[in-house]
Amino acid sequence: MCRNFLSFILILAGLFSFCNEGPRQNKAIPVADTAKYYPCADFIREQIRFVDLRNFDIRRTITVDSRKDSSGITKEAFVQLANGVLSVLENWNKQKNLYKETVFQDLSTNSYTINYTAIDPDSKLQRIDILLNDETNTIKRMFLRENWKLNDTVYTNQFSWIADEGFQIVSAKKYQDFSHSQTIAVDWNKPLEK
């Protein structure tokens, strides 16, 4: 009898502790990001290394409004300018889930076009367009467009990169009827114009 009473007490204690645990809470398991985005920043890093490891004649042409000035630049100056493009893409890497991806094949250019468009119209980086070789899936060209407003002035930066040849940064600002633009073009691995 004592043994049955002791068993009864143990069963009651087990049931009591089980009932007092409260509702079980399922912990949310983070879902892995399965979206595949083209590694744009890696491409720019590879291009910087490509130029840095060779003895190219690197030319920079600056056009302000309609005045043009062209000169040779050092690898260090090239890296500094190229890092401007790289930093835009590194920032995009941190928030690429805020962009919609579309992909289509263009048979006339033997390429695929990948487009990333900002979901939020107030995002500074509005779009990235990548033209890929359809046989090698390597970048032929890349275009980025930034757009933002500060007070009454609208600013636009457009970056264009041609693989193994050069890049261009077009900066513009517009305030009411006043507009100003500057283009910085950097080329390497090209014959000099005569």
Side-chain angles (χ1 to χ4, degrees), residues 65 152-155 172-181:
D65 296 324
D152 293 335
T153 306
V154 176
Y155 296 88
K173 65 179 176 179
K174 184 171 174 132
Y175 173 75
Q176 294 175 357
D177 292 333
F178 170 79
S179 64
H180 171 74
S181 67

Side-chain angles (χ1 to χ4, degrees), residues 65-96:
D65 296 324
S66 61
R67 294 182 316 272
K68 191 183 269 192
D69 179 44
S70 184
S71 63
I73 60 171
T74 64
K75 287 182 184 180
E76 291 78 19
F78 160 78
V79 169
Q80 184 177 10
L81 288 166
N83 278 336
V85 181
L86 181 59
S87 70
V88 171
L89 291 169
E90 286 174 336
N91 287 334
W92 173 73
N93 274 341
K94 297 173 189 169
Q95 55 188 339
K96 58 189 172 185

Side-chain angles (χ1 to χ4, degrees), residues 36 100-106 111-116 130 132:
K36 301 291 183 200
K100 179 184 174 190
E101 179 185 61
T102 56
V103 180
F104 63 90
Q105 184 177 19
D106 185 347
S111 61
Y112 290 101
T113 299
I114 302 174
N115 172 265
Y116 299 104
I130 303 167
L132 294 178

Side-chain angles (χ1 to χ4, degrees), residues 36-44 89 92-93 96 101-106 109-117 127-134 137-145 159-161 163:
K36 301 291 183 200
Y37 292 92
Y38 197 89
C40 303
D42 292 345
F43 165 74
I44 298 299
L89 291 169
W92 173 73
N93 274 341
K96 58 189 172 185
E101 179 185 61
T102 56
V103 180
F104 63 90
Q105 184 177 19
D106 185 347
T109 61
N110 294 327
S111 61
Y112 290 101
T113 299
I114 302 174
N115 172 265
Y116 299 104
T117 306
R127 80 186 274 135
I128 298 173
D129 294 302
I130 303 167
L131 208 65
L132 294 178
N133 180 309
D134 66 355
N137 284 335
T138 57
I139 292 181
K140 297 192 308 189
R141 294 178 180 259
M142 181 187 310
F143 305 95
L144 294 82
R145 181 178 176 87
F159 305 90
S160 170
W161 197 290

